[in-house]
Amino acid sequence: MFLALFGTVVIAGIVGYISEKSGFTHNGYLPSIIICVGGAFLFYFVSIMFRIGFGSPGVDAIIASIGALIIVPTHWRN
């Protein structure tokens, strides 16, 4: 369980970096990574508390990170 938490953080950081590099977001690298890690943390703990999820913790981290980037508005997004 503890290693799944570290994996969630790493995968969320990678998703944040890739989303900024590909042009999906225009927040900046650090804000995108912070948004992804925050969304992945939130979903990780909610999935532990309520036993919900989309499959493996890695898939949950990817989906939660992308969802956080879509939901969280930022100053630069049009």
Side-chain angles (χ1 to χ4, degrees):
M1 184 167 109
F2 197 60
L3 291 175
L5 180 63
F6 285 136
T8 298
V9 171
V10 170
I11 290 172
I14 292 169
V15 169
Y17 177 77
I18 290 173
S19 68
E20 194 61 39
K21 188 82 169 170
S22 68
F24 180 68
T25 60
H26 302 289
N27 302 327
Y29 288 103
L30 190 60
S32 290
I33 292 171
I34 290 171
I35 290 168
C36 284
V37 170
F41 262 135
L42 180 67
F43 189 78
Y44 178 77
F45 290 120
V46 167
S47 67
I48 288 174
M49 287 191 313
F50 298 112
R51 295 181 190 250
I52 59 171
F54 299 107
S56 67
V59 174
D60 289 346
I62 292 170
I63 293 173
S65 298
I66 293 171
L69 283 174
I70 292 171
I71 292 172
V72 175
T74 60
H75 176 70
W76 298 280
R77 193 175 292 171
N78 291 331

